[in-house]
Amino acid sequence: MSSFDLTIRNARAVTASDTFECDIAVKDGRIVQIGSRLPPCAREIDAAGRFVTPGGVDAHCHLDQPEPPPIKMADDFDTGTRSAACGGTTTVIPFALQQKGQSLRAAVEDYHRRADGKAHIDYTFHLIISDPTPAVLNDELPQLIKEGYTSFKIYMTYDSLKLDDGQILDLLSVAREHGAMAMIHAENADCIEWLTRRLEAAGRTAPRFHGHARPMLVEREATHRAMALSELVDTPILIVHVSGREAVEQIRWGRAHGLQVFAETCPQYLFLSAEDLGIDDGYLGARCICSPPPRDKANQEVIWRALADGLFTVFSSDHAPYRFEGTEGKRPGGEEPDFRHIPNGIPGIETRMALLWSEGVLGGRITREKFVELTATNPAKAYGLHPRKGTIAVGADADLVIWDERSFVLKNEQLHHAVDYTPYEGMNLGAWPGLTLCRGEVVWDGTSFTGRPGTGKFLHCGRPTLLPDRSR
Ligand code: URP
Ligand code: ZN
Ligand code: ZN
């Protein structure tokens, strides 16, 4: 009998580069051997020729993020990570948000309190920097990067978060000097505000007009400007939640000109379109309000092609969990406000992996290896978690998903988040995780959630390995 804790037999293991038949042995939460006909083990799981991928790394999700009352996110670290685990994700990276006037350290400490003892899977934090004071730029941020908070998000829109170009340049300089990944929400705030006021003056305030206030050119302009700022400082950036053709074209242009620009997209830009925000002035479309907004079928195709051809680095959920009913979510205070006041964001932490496996891999649009690269390996590399996370290799954490390929119709009642809807209700899917292991422990057995709060560990991140090595 071997000294392994667990052996997974007959796996068709998929990594970002290969698919191969093997047994995978686990000890103390790590993969210790990969081979064929490994010795018997007291605990074995037969994968019986099913595909086994690394657990997903969801590098963009929002959990228990502070909000102005009465708004409150439905998912905290308990329900959010439970939902992630049941959908095959074993590491999440939500955001510690600095409020204006708050120290960055205080924001991080507050976010740790929100997570402590609750997470079922491993987690780390990106920072959101809304107030880059000299203290933040010179002391707090460099020190936090040293401590393993090696990525931060910059907003070019939203009144409470947006930074001007000079502030962005300051932050990119810190990223360059100290080795952090800068993520950018690229939308032109002034254009959005101008359009919003005109729509309001014309009485066009229903949810669907959210999309009219954020046409693709506002994303195109901001994407180009973000790349120019990154070029000026000579440091890479990662543009988050890219929605369609015009931003994709900018990123292609930037790459063709030698710029190091990484890009993320999300399920909503593959599966939702402007009609989901409403074809009339009804309120149901509030459920699909997110920014940038979903575009149209032609843009979905552009995003699919860019996933397949390597333009996109990571595929994240951008899970932003607001309930549709009640008073804390999409109907703040029980009202149906103008689109300007509807919380932005949609749920998707549990459906991210299965949607891409079903429609991407089984739909013949991307390879299995590309799936792994986008959902696990590259997010781990982009944010300093690789090779501990995001791959199947000796020494890596035993974060694994065994896939069941079976057809079913997706319903919100099957999901484990605390949100009262999924935008993907009624979709036919061809696969779902049959088993999720986080550091060798089963957290989802295909039918039931089996995790325990507090077993998820906080991860200190290293220097993102997608950044250039400046030590030579
Ligand atoms: O609409 C969105 N995407 N909401 C979440 C916040 C963000 O900007 O990612
Ligand atoms: Zn954003
Ligand atoms: Zn987001």
Side-chain angles (χ1 to χ4, degrees), residues 60 62 153 155 158 185 241 290-291 318 320 344-345:
H60 184 159
H62 304 268
K153 183 170 175 189
Y155 281 83
Y158 296 133
H185 179 134
H241 43 51
C290 59
S291 296
D318 195 6
N344 283 202

Side-chain angles (χ1 to χ4, degrees), residues 271 304 354-365 427-429:
F271 302 110
W304 275 117
L355 284 171
L356 194 64
W357 188 275
S358 297
E359 294 294 316
V361 175
L362 300 179
R365 292 172 178 274
M427 258 183 83
N428 280 303
L429 297 190

Side-chain angles (χ1 to χ4, degrees), residues 328-360:
E328 298 179 337
K330 295 285 187 178
R331 289 191 163 105
E335 306 289 319
E336 294 187 352
D338 295 354
F339 72 83
R340 181 200 277 276
H341 300 293
I342 299 171
N344 283 202
I346 61 174
I349 205 165
E350 190 166 344
T351 43
R352 173 185 73 118
M353 301 274 282
L355 284 171
L356 194 64
W357 188 275
S358 297
E359 294 294 316

Side-chain angles (χ1 to χ4, degrees), residues 174-244:
V174 177
R176 184 182 199 284
E177 189 179 342
H178 298 278
M181 182 63 84
M183 310 157 77
I184 303 205
H185 179 134
E187 288 184 298
N188 180 312
D190 287 350
C191 291
I192 294 169
E193 179 56 30
W194 187 83
L195 285 165
T196 301
R197 279 209 225 110
R198 283 176 70 102
L199 287 161
E200 285 171 342
R204 309 179 95 193
T205 57
R208 69 190 171 106
F209 293 110
H210 172 82
H212 297 223
R214 302 176 112 95
M216 227 187 309
L217 80 85
V218 308
E219 190 182 350
R220 183 228 301 160
E221 185 281 330
T223 301
H224 187 91
R225 182 156 40 99
M227 290 193 304
L229 300 177
S230 128
E231 182 180 3
L232 195 56
V233 179
D234 181 29
T235 200
I237 52 169
L238 190 149
I239 308 280
V240 292
H241 43 51
V242 170
S243 75

